[in-house]
């Protein structure tokens, strides 16, 4: 009997990021992030409103210049959770369902994260440039998004 192939560590953690994205409360972008070091998950994050504030799926979007500003991004929430709980993110990898935006890229740089693995593209050349200039390894790991995952750039 043949055993199914085990997924690589990158495939394993990016799949978990997609599972985390299912908790997103902003239907404009269901994004998930997982921060990992030495093959151990440190924190997770998904798109959602700040703690204690209403979510998009409860009160609607707060749009400014075509972007919903009610929510924090998945990467931001993962980094904030690390800070809140005293988890060191230095020399870690962040797995994200979408390429980080420029603001998230800057947070990733300052959080000491050294590698970004992402599945879906996001139209932000500046974020890629900042990450590259900061010496952060940026890897696109294309993965078919689940049919119910919605993304609006």
């Amino acid at each position: 009997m043949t055993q199914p192939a085990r997924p690589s560590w990158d495939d394993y953690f990016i799949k978990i990021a997609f599972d985390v994205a299912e908790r997103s409360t902003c239907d404009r972008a269901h994004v998930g992030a997982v921060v990992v070091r030495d093959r151990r998950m440190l924190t997770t994050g998904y798109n959602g409103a700040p703690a204690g504030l209403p979510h998009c799926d409860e009160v609607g979007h707060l749009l400014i210049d075509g972007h919903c500003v009610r929510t924090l991004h998945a990467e931001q929430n993962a980094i904030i959770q690390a800070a809140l709980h005293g988890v060191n993110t230095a020399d870690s990898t962040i797995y994200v369902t979408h390429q980080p935006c420029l603001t998230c890229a800057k947070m990733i740089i300052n959080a000491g994260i050294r590698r970004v693995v992402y599945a879906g593209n996001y139209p932000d050349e500046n974020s890629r440039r900042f990450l590259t200039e900061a010496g952060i390894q940026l890897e696109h790991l294309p993965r078919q998004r689940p049919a119910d995952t919605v993304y609006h750039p």
Side-chain angles (χ1 to χ4, degrees), residues 114-126:
R114 295 288 164 235
R115 184 170 173 249
V116 175
V117 178
Y118 66 96
N121 280 315
Y122 182 77
D124 193 333
E125 288 298 320
N126 288 320

Side-chain angles (χ1 to χ4, degrees), residues 91-122:
D91 301 320
S92 63
T93 296
I94 190 167
Y95 293 86
V96 193
T97 57
H98 299 75
Q99 176 202 310
C101 71
L102 180 57
T103 299
C104 289
K106 292 184 284 187
M107 291 180 71
I108 287 166
I109 292 165
N110 278 1
I113 295 169
R114 295 288 164 235
R115 184 170 173 249
V116 175
V117 178
Y118 66 96
N121 280 315
Y122 182 77

Side-chain angles (χ1 to χ4, degrees), residues 25-28 48-50 52-63 68-71:
T25 59
C26 180
D27 65 3
R28 290 179 53 82
L53 296 181
H55 294 276
C56 294
D57 60 4
E58 298 168 338
V59 296
H61 302 290
L62 177 56
L63 296 175
C68 182
V69 297
R70 183 175 305 287
T71 64

